[in-house]
Amino acid sequence: MNQINRVAIVGGTHGNEFTGAYLIRKFAQFPDLVTRPSFETVTLLANPNAFAAGRRYVEKDLNRCFLKQDLQDPTLNSYEELQAKSIQSNLASKGDKQADFILDLHSSTANMGLTIILVNSHPLNLKLAAYLSQINPLVRVYCCSFKSIEENPFVNSLCELGFAIEVGPIAQGVLQATLFQQTEELVHAVLDYLEQFNQGKIPSTNKTLIVYHHLSVVDYPKKPDGTIFGMIHPELQNKDYQALNPGDPIFITLDNKTIIYKGASTVWPIFINEAAYYEKGIAMCLTQRQEINI
């Protein structure tokens, strides 16, 4: 990719994540904020019905509807599945509609701070993530790369370039000015970087980048019937991106018994106690911290 021609900023993929949704509203009202000379910027409220209802989704998690085979399946016609096909048409059609870079804005009830979520290791994505972490030390980079684009169910599967921004902690259906402003600053930094890229003036960055590679997910302690009988241990709550060592407390049961982490090596958990993940059977995601050369 030698030239970025069309950048898409997506918000409200989950309707109760207000930070991204209201940034899209702001950018629609004040388009000059996201206008840059060398490329077109489009904004998209991805799930308007869920946003209007203040819900994560209407029928199905929209950010799990972008598997290639699902987008091509005419029998899939739930509201979100149809939305995904419409978004694909708007952002991934050949010609003028093709987005060269997609920035998807999310928020989390977990203590994720300012997180860049990479779904691939394209050099431009890595360099941009390194730049953002350099200008703002609070930025962390979570890598959940898929083996192929066909396995990626997220909005970002529609374009090789781009990533999601995940900020938190913030309750669902709530606006919080500090996180809103921090997210907007990251959006502007991304757009400015892409403008400089088009001008052949890529900002210099550190040669190394700390990334948190996805390893696995952990469910809550459950009975055979699926009933939860434990919760995140107080010593782990809000400790996203902090080391979890074998033998450290991970859960506490309803009868006050501590469950320890029994893994063989140190991991770095994230998305700890994310409200939206209860239905997915995920208490946290485990990652491996690594310094990579870029």
Side-chain angles (χ1 to χ4, degrees):
M1 176 64 67
N2 298 317
Q3 179 80 16
I4 305 294
N5 295 311
R6 193 169 192 246
V7 174
I9 306 173
V10 180
T13 303
H14 296 132
N16 57 4
E17 296 178 8
F18 279 6
T19 303
Y22 276 91
L23 274 171
I24 294 302
R25 281 194 161 184
K26 177 175 180 176
F27 297 150
Q29 185 176 355
F30 306 105
D32 288 350
L33 293 173
V34 292
T35 299
R36 297 295 184 273
S38 68
F39 56 82
E40 176 193 12
T41 304
V42 296
T43 59
L44 176 67
L45 182 64
N47 199 331
N49 285 9
F51 174 61
R55 296 166 53 183
R56 182 175 174 87
Y57 55 82
V58 176
E59 296 182 81
K60 184 177 181 181
D61 189 334
L62 177 59
N63 213 31
R64 303 297 184 272
C65 291
F66 290 89
L67 286 172
K68 190 172 182 180
Q69 68 264 28
D70 291 347
L71 291 170
Q72 296 173 345
D73 187 342
T75 68
L76 299 179
N77 56 10
S78 72
Y79 170 71
E80 273 82 13
E81 287 163 342
L82 294 176
Q83 276 297 106
K85 293 172 183 178
S86 174
I87 292 169
Q88 180 197 37
S89 176
N90 286 329
L91 300 184
S93 297
K94 298 298 181 183
D96 293 342
K97 287 188 175 183
Q98 176 68 53
D100 298 314
F101 189 100
I102 296 176
L103 187 61
D104 190 25
L105 307 179
H106 290 262
S107 55
S108 171
T109 64
N111 190 24
M112 294 292 285
L114 306 177
T115 294
I116 304 301
I117 301 181
L118 298 177
V119 296
N120 64 56
S121 297
H122 190 286
L124 179 59
N125 291 337
L126 289 173
K127 290 178 181 178
L128 178 47
Y131 172 74
L132 295 175
S133 64
Q134 182 172 292
I135 64 173
N136 187 340
L138 297 178
V139 170
R140 293 186 176 94
V141 181
Y142 167 45
C143 187
C144 59
S145 296
F146 296 89
K147 292 180 181 179
S148 68
I149 195 168
E150 283 77 13
E151 297 179 9
N152 182 351
F154 302 151
V155 173
N156 283 109
S157 71
L158 298 178
C159 184
E160 189 174 26
L161 297 182
F163 43 71
I165 295 177
E166 186 88 48
V167 301
I170 185 170
Q172 297 172 346
V174 169
L175 279 171
Q176 195 238 76
T178 299
L179 281 177
F180 186 94
Q181 292 167 345
Q182 289 175 331
T183 305
E184 184 174 5
E185 288 171 4
L186 287 178
V187 171
H188 291 309
V190 168
L191 297 176
D192 291 342
Y193 184 96
L194 296 177
E195 176 64 26
Q196 289 179 289
F197 171 83
N198 279 350
Q199 304 298 337
K201 303 174 182 177
I202 301 176
S204 61
T205 60
N206 296 330
K207 299 300 182 183
T208 60
L209 174 66
I210 300 295
V211 298
Y212 295 83
H213 285 284
H214 181 86
L215 294 175
S216 61
V217 299
V218 177
D219 198 357
Y220 295 92
K222 289 180 177 177
K223 298 177 181 179
D225 65 359
T227 303
I228 290 175
F229 67 87
M231 63 201 100
I232 301 294
H233 195 280
E235 292 184 20
L236 182 58
Q237 181 63 45
N238 295 325
K239 299 293 179 64
D240 300 73
Y241 292 108
Q242 297 188 32
L244 178 68
N245 302 300
D248 287 349
I250 186 170
F251 295 112
I252 188 166
T253 66
L254 298 181
D255 56 355
N256 291 321
K257 293 179 180 178
T258 295
I259 298 175
I260 63 170
Y261 173 60
K262 296 181 179 179
S265 61
T266 299
V267 292
W268 285 258
I270 64 173
F271 282 113
I272 299 172
N273 210 15
E274 163 61 52
Y277 287 177
Y278 274 75
E279 70 178 28
K280 300 180 186 297
I282 298 174
M284 68 196 74
C285 299
L286 302 183
T287 73
Q288 180 65 52
R289 187 179 187 270
Q290 182 183 12
E291 184 175 291
I292 64 171
N293 295 319
I294 58 171

